[in-house]
Amino acid sequence: MALVTSTEMFKKAYEGGYAIGAFNVNNMEIIQGITEAAKEEQAPLILQVSSGARKYANHTYLMKLIEAAVIETDLPICVHLDHGDTFELCKSCIDGGFTSVMIDGSHHSFEDNIALTRQVVEYAHDHGVVVEGELGRLEGVEDDVNVSAEDASYTNPEQVQEFVERTGVDSLAIAIGTSHGAYKFKPGTKPQLRFDILEEVEKRLPGFPIVLHGASSVMPEFVDMINKYGGSMPDAIGVPEDMLRRAASMAVCKINIDSDLRLAMTGTIRRYFAENPSHFDPRQYLKPARAAIKEMVRHKLIHVLGCNGKA
Ligand code: G3H
Ligand code: 13P
Ligand code: ZN
């Protein structure tokens, strides 16, 4: 099996009423934890790399680790640029072997977003690579850019058809109330997503794959672990799993998860050091962290995404 684009994955996911997990990767243990779970559950996968991840770990290292995962798992794996913000960054990832890129022009005007996205689509399609665009803006932190609640905005369903037609994108990220990071909803309030917007988008773009960013559940077991072992994240709240399952049964074919990976890894390492204060071999604490990622991802594949057995 070689690296694949997401085209076939999304077609089957749309028809089957499930979603593909798009997990952010930054190092070997994260890649191993995710892909070991996917192999055991026979799930198709998207491994996504942000520009921050690329700066941290280097394009070639990440690419080679993902290629190793393809050999080890024999699974269909798509390697995707998360939140590309310039044509040059997208081009560099396409030239460097990625099979999918996101061009996130959501902070530009509608016309500028279309022009930038169209430019990336033309180059990507000429090279057999697929493109995710974004309309509407999520609140939260990406690559050190903090979008405040006032600057965030829901996707306007009236714009989606024109955006897809004029850009030629292969999938579309929309804003329906999720946000990046671990603090998604106000403490004491009931988390809510605008499923009415998703329904309206689905009606206007029948059969077209929609992407949900900011879709970590901020799993309480890991937040509790962090708080128990010296950390402080009392107000961390994520997207409830039943809402993600509902989105996956609708037009959402790709669900982005990063924060839950970070929390699983950090909580497990904090616990390890609390229980083994004299240890200093990184393999000793990275091993349980990798195992925690694997079990957390297995849970998502089966109980949230529904993509187990679909490889
Ligand atoms: O949407 C943002 C992702 O969680 C990636 O985060 O830019 O810090 O790597 P990062
Ligand atoms: P979370 O912060 O909810 O994991 O979202 C990740 C994401 O959308 C990456 O693009
Ligand atoms: Zn995102």
Side-chain angles (χ1 to χ4, degrees):
M1 182 75 70
L3 286 170
V4 297
T5 71
S6 49
T7 307
E8 206 51 33
M9 293 181 188
F10 288 167
K11 195 167 174 289
K12 288 191 198 159
Y14 198 102
E15 284 162 9
Y18 62 90
I20 312 294
F23 298 96
N24 285 73
V25 297
N26 291 278
N27 69 11
M28 183 183 78
E29 284 76 11
I30 296 173
I31 292 173
Q32 288 176 330
I34 297 165
T35 56
E36 282 171 18
K39 183 180 181 180
E40 287 179 16
E41 299 307 327
Q42 284 299 297
L45 261 187
I46 298 174
L47 296 180
Q48 56 187 12
V49 174
S50 68
S51 77
R54 215 161 159 258
K55 279 185 210 135
Y56 170 75
N58 168 301
H59 180 98
T60 311
Y61 277 97
L62 289 173
M63 205 57 204
K64 294 296 168 193
L65 286 167
I66 294 170
E67 283 169 13
V70 172
I71 293 169
E72 287 297 318
T73 61
D74 201 27
L75 284 176
I77 297 180
C78 166
V79 54
H80 173 78
L81 169 66
D82 190 27
H83 293 284
D85 59 349
T86 61
F87 172 78
E88 291 70 28
L89 173 58
C90 293
K91 179 179 182 301
S92 167
C93 289
I94 294 165
D95 295 346
F98 281 30
T99 55
S100 174
V101 293
M102 174 188 193
I103 177 69
D104 180 356
S106 59
H107 45 289
H108 294 300
S109 69
F110 185 61
E111 284 302 323
D112 289 352
N113 188 355
I114 288 179
L116 176 61
T117 306
R118 178 76 219 160
Q119 188 189 11
V120 172
V121 167
E122 277 169 12
Y123 189 80
H125 286 182
D126 279 351
H127 293 77
V129 169
V130 293
V131 179
E132 172 186 328
E134 178 164 336
L135 255 189
R137 203 187 301 179
L138 271 70
E139 186 187 339
V141 185
E142 297 154 21
D143 266 331
D144 299 331
V145 178
N146 199 336
V147 180
S148 69
E150 304 81 69
D151 288 340
S153 58
Y154 295 118
T155 302
N156 177 356
E158 286 174 12
Q159 293 182 324
V160 296
Q161 247 172 327
E162 183 182 349
F163 185 83
V164 167
E165 276 165 23
R166 287 178 60 195
T167 58
V169 284
D170 304 279
S171 61
L172 182 68
I174 62 168
I176 58 168
T178 62
S179 59
H180 292 109
Y183 304 92
K184 299 189 191 295
F185 300 100
K186 283 206 177 69
T189 62
K190 200 170 167 285
Q192 274 181 336
L193 296 187
R194 293 287 305 271
F195 282 100
D196 58 319
I197 294 179
L198 177 56
E199 266 166 26
E200 201 50 49
V201 168
E202 193 172 335
K203 261 189 231 152
R204 287 161 194 258
L205 294 173
F208 191 81
I210 299 302
V211 177
L212 198 60
H213 282 247
S216 279
S217 295
V218 187
M219 294 170 77
E221 65 193 276
F222 296 117
V223 175
D224 290 350
M225 209 185 269
I226 288 172
N227 288 333
K228 182 169 174 192
Y229 295 106
S232 177
M233 305 185 65
D235 295 333
I237 300 169
V239 184
E241 290 187 349
D242 60 332
M243 291 190 186
L244 295 170
R245 279 197 295 273
R246 183 172 168 199
S249 75
M250 299 168 69
V252 170
C253 294
K254 173 174 179 271
I255 288 192
N256 284 13
I257 296 165
D258 188 0
S259 296
D260 279 331
L261 296 164
R262 297 176 180 192
L263 292 166
M265 188 161 209
T266 302
T268 307
I269 292 173
R270 274 191 179 278
R271 183 176 63 188
Y272 186 87
F273 280 126
E275 291 171 353
N276 303 278
S278 65
H279 287 191
F280 59 90
D281 179 343
R283 291 172 299 187
Q284 290 177 314
Y285 57 86
L286 290 173
K287 192 173 171 183
R290 180 174 60 192
I293 285 178
K294 179 176 174 181
E295 291 317 310
M296 188 277 284
V297 170
R298 189 199 304 283
H299 171 83
K300 301 268 185 199
L301 298 174
I302 300 171
H303 300 289
V304 178
L305 301 152
C307 60
N308 52 313
K310 310 289 189 191

